[in-house]
Amino acid sequence: MSVPSRAVARAAQSFECAAARRSFASDSSIYSSSQRLAGRGTQCLREAQRATISSQTARVSQSQIRSFSQTTSRNKLKTIDQIKARNRGGPFNLTAAILFVASGAGLWAYFTYEKERMARKRIAEQTKGIGKPKVGGPFQLIDQEGTVFSSDDMLGKYSLVYFGFTHCPDICPDELDKMALMYDKVTEQCGKVLLPLMITCDPARDTPKVLKEYLKEFHPEFIGLTGDYEQIKQTCKAYRVYFSTPSSVKPGEDYLVDHSIYFYLMDPEGDFVEAIGRNFTADQAAKIMIDHIKDWEKPLKKETRWE
């Protein structure tokens, strides 16, 4: 082959090789571009999936959080009505405060009542005699109707016993007026469960007839008791009552009588409960008796039970 022909053949071969390289490079570039596009598409798809999952997780978390509180957020409260509505639904509002105070007051009243009741019970137990009574005991006297009245007639009811005499100038009338008020107050709340008794310290002058005329001026339910000197002396001794009546006096003789001034509350079994002195008003004394009567758990002789 001649030299010009070989030169032409080499040039053609070089051109074909260059074209092939360009085609390969182009195909490679297209392939790389497609690969990059595919990679980017995958990455975008993954990011989109992550965003979707995150959004769903956020919504689930928000729904779980909102399930614990259905009230409006504080930063969204704009009106007074909204604030009041939120406060009404809060854990501590006016209703809760009222219930709390009422419960506390109820507990305080209950424990105060129980404390007073236990104190009364201790007083009643301490004053009960063991063997021989400390205050009170058996006696047999005569009432204002001339009928025999003994300590057994006091059983089954509470008794309020007062020692005095009809010729007393001032103290006995005042105490008997108070005794009438006490009796009415007890009867009003507890029924007829109380025997109001006056035992004279002056048997020489206080006959059944005198006692009847004297006591009807104070209360029709009062029972007056008298007897001879020894009977009165033994009864006063049993109730620990001091009196200074002379043992022998002449008819028409004037004298003074000094005696203890107490009301003795006795329970339905004849046991001493409490002594009520002059320092108590009628209301205070009546409350003491009413509380003791209501504490009594055994049967009582009475017409109707209190409400």
Side-chain angles (χ1 to χ4, degrees), residues 184-201:
D184 287 338
K185 291 179 183 296
V186 171
T187 303
E188 180 182 356
Q189 294 197 33
C190 302
K192 291 187 176 182
V193 297
L194 184 67
L195 289 176
L197 304 175
M198 175 190 164
I199 300 177
T200 182
C201 296

Side-chain angles (χ1 to χ4, degrees), residues 116-186:
E116 293 177 352
R117 187 181 70 83
M118 293 305 295
R120 292 193 300 270
K121 186 176 180 180
R122 284 195 299 270
I123 291 173
E125 291 296 329
Q126 289 172 359
T127 53
K128 284 183 178 291
I130 300 176
K132 186 177 180 179
K134 295 181 180 179
V135 176
F139 65 83
Q140 183 170 317
L141 300 172
I142 299 174
D143 65 14
Q144 70 265 42
E145 301 295 336
T147 306
V148 175
F149 188 100
S150 70
S151 54
D152 292 339
D153 294 314
M154 298 168 59
L155 301 180
K157 288 187 176 183
Y158 274 85
S159 301
L160 187 64
V161 183
Y162 178 74
F163 290 82
F165 63 107
T166 60
H167 286 74
C168 181
D170 48 16
I171 294 178
C172 289
D174 291 342
E175 293 300 289
L176 289 173
D177 282 332
K178 186 166 71 173
M179 186 176 180
L181 294 174
M182 293 156 55
Y183 176 79
D184 287 338
K185 291 179 183 296
V186 171

